Amino acid sequence: MSANKNILFDTGKNITLNPEEPFFADASYHLDVEVCSKPTCDCGGVSLFIKEGDTFESATIKYKVKVNVFDTLVNSIYDDEDFTSEKRDEFFHFYYDNLTDYDWKVLKSIYRVKKFNLVEGVNPDKVYFEFTKKDYREVSMMYQYGKIFPNGDFYVNYQDTWYLLLDNYCKNPECECNDMYFHIFEMDASRRPEDTSVGVYFYNYQTKDVKIDEGNKELMKEIVAELFTIHPEADQIFERRSNNLKIIYELAKFRYEKENRLLKTHVNKVGRNEPCPCGSGKKYKRCCLKK
């Protein structure tokens, strides 16, 4: 990375352009950030909009730079017609050469927060997600929300250590339970994920009952308490996620069963020992015959 000063500047309320950088010495420049709008996607795509105007609200887009926060890549994909090709190249190379480690860290943080907010505002009726055959057979098994929404996981910093909380809910549309559980991990890049497990925290978001069978019970209680400090409305989030999961699962199961019914209408002449037409590689008698 370049030894230049950070392009992005954290004011404590929002992220702005660092006025000490020569490109942005003019106070009329502002920065706007957008992320990929698909809540189930974790592509890392972020668009930086350079806006010109006296205020952020009245500013108009003059240039756009697209970056990937995971690959730390910069691409120029949009520019105002008033910009000359030389000016466009100048902007592109400025970002390409000068984004610092801090800048990438800030952009990744913005990406995670904006994606998390997209997840919380999702309409489950419009989410297309396919579960595994095992998930369709075992309807009552609980399911990790983050498998559908990669940026929906919870992160907590407790006593200078970061923890990852993976929330799981019942996916059975006919079940009216209010149970969920967290699988909590200490975030430590030097250790294997399976070695960082703190334990499993069972919780009922209606009755507030807690059950911890194994793991560091006191630590988990403190971590979850910190989560409620960050998200005071956590119980409402859990309930909404539980309902969302059941809707998404019900729609996916309906599609799966419909496709299998249509498949069966075309396989009546398939022999028991012939390859299953679903493409699994198994014999028909050991795969879709009994479904």
Side-chain angles (χ1 to χ4, degrees):
M1 290 292 178
S2 169
N4 290 358
K5 293 181 179 180
N6 303 317
I7 296 174
L8 306 179
F9 184 71
D10 190 347
T11 64
K13 294 183 179 180
N14 49 43
I15 305 300
T16 64
L17 297 168
N18 190 334
E20 295 183 12
E21 288 289 351
F23 264 88
F24 312 120
D26 186 340
S28 65
Y29 282 104
H30 306 272
L31 178 71
D32 198 3
V33 179
E34 286 187 2
V35 301
C36 167
S37 61
K38 190 175 180 181
T40 56
C41 174
D42 195 21
C43 64
V46 172
S47 296
L48 305 179
F49 295 90
I50 309 302
K51 305 173 74 174
E52 186 177 26
D54 293 333
T55 65
F56 181 88
E57 290 74 17
S58 64
T60 57
I61 297 172
K62 294 297 292 183
Y63 193 73
K64 177 179 178 181
V65 175
K66 186 171 184 178
V67 304
N68 188 292
V69 298
F70 299 141
D71 300 329
T72 61
L73 294 177
V74 181
N75 293 291
S76 176
I77 64 170
Y78 174 88
D79 50 80
D80 190 275
E81 294 180 356
D82 293 336
F83 275 30
T84 64
S85 59
E86 292 80 8
K87 189 68 173 178
R88 294 195 296 267
D89 291 341
E90 193 177 5
F91 260 96
F92 169 74
H93 286 291
F94 173 75
Y95 274 97
Y96 185 83
D97 295 333
N98 293 287
L99 281 172
T100 66
D101 288 337
Y102 170 81
D103 292 324
W104 286 113
K105 183 178 180 180
V106 169
L107 289 174
K108 185 178 288 188
S109 176
I110 294 174
Y111 173 84
R112 291 298 188 197
V113 170
K114 285 182 173 284
K115 277 290 195 175
F116 185 91
N117 291 337
L118 280 174
V119 170
E120 290 314 299
V122 73
N123 180 347
D125 291 322
K126 296 183 178 181
V127 175
Y128 186 92
F129 183 80
E130 291 302 326
F131 296 81
T132 67
K133 288 183 178 180
K134 182 179 179 181
D135 293 324
Y136 294 127
R137 290 196 300 268
E138 300 176 353
V139 179
S140 298
M141 294 293 290
M142 300 187 85
Y143 199 79
Q144 182 183 320
Y145 203 67
K147 288 184 177 180
I148 304 175
F149 303 105
N151 289 287
D153 298 331
F154 295 98
Y155 296 87
V156 169
N157 188 310
Y158 176 69
Q159 294 186 345
D160 296 325
T161 300
W162 281 97
Y163 295 92
L164 170 65
L165 290 75
L166 303 179
D167 50 329
N168 296 257
Y169 306 88
C170 172
K171 64 181 185 297
N172 186 353
E174 298 181 2
C175 179
E176 298 182 357
C177 75
N178 303 307
D179 297 319
M180 61 167 294
Y181 74 84
F182 287 116
H183 196 171
I184 304 177
F185 295 87
E186 179 182 341
M187 298 183 67
D188 185 347
S190 65
R191 299 161 63 193
R192 296 179 303 173
E194 58 267 29
D195 294 334
T196 65
S197 175
V198 179
V200 178
Y201 183 98
F202 293 90
Y203 180 66
N204 185 300
Y205 51 80
Q206 289 290 347
T207 65
K208 322 301 182 191
D209 290 336
V210 174
K211 180 181 178 183
I212 304 175
D213 292 330
E214 57 184 34
N216 190 329
K217 297 182 180 181
E218 293 306 315
L219 176 59
M220 282 192 282
K221 289 179 180 180
E222 293 294 336
I223 292 171
V224 174
E226 184 63 25
L227 175 66
F228 273 85
T229 300
I230 300 169
H231 300 284
E233 74 294 0
D235 283 330
Q236 288 75 34
I237 293 177
F238 303 153
E239 182 175 11
R240 182 167 61 247
R241 289 185 170 202
S242 178
N243 293 333
N244 286 350
L245 177 57
K246 290 174 180 178
I247 293 172
I248 294 169
Y249 178 77
E250 185 175 27
L251 292 173
K253 193 169 187 291
F254 173 80
R255 290 193 302 268
Y256 173 77
E257 292 176 343
K258 180 179 179 180
E259 289 170 1
N260 274 272
R261 285 196 299 271
L262 292 174
L263 179 63
K264 284 187 176 181
T265 63
H266 296 286
V267 299
N268 291 330
K269 296 182 180 180
V270 178
R272 290 171 52 83
N273 292 312
E274 293 181 21
C276 185
C278 75
S280 66
K282 300 178 181 179
K283 291 184 179 181
Y284 179 50
K285 66 180 180 181
R286 299 188 182 280
C287 191
C288 292
L289 177 62
K290 297 181 180 180
K291 295 181 181 180

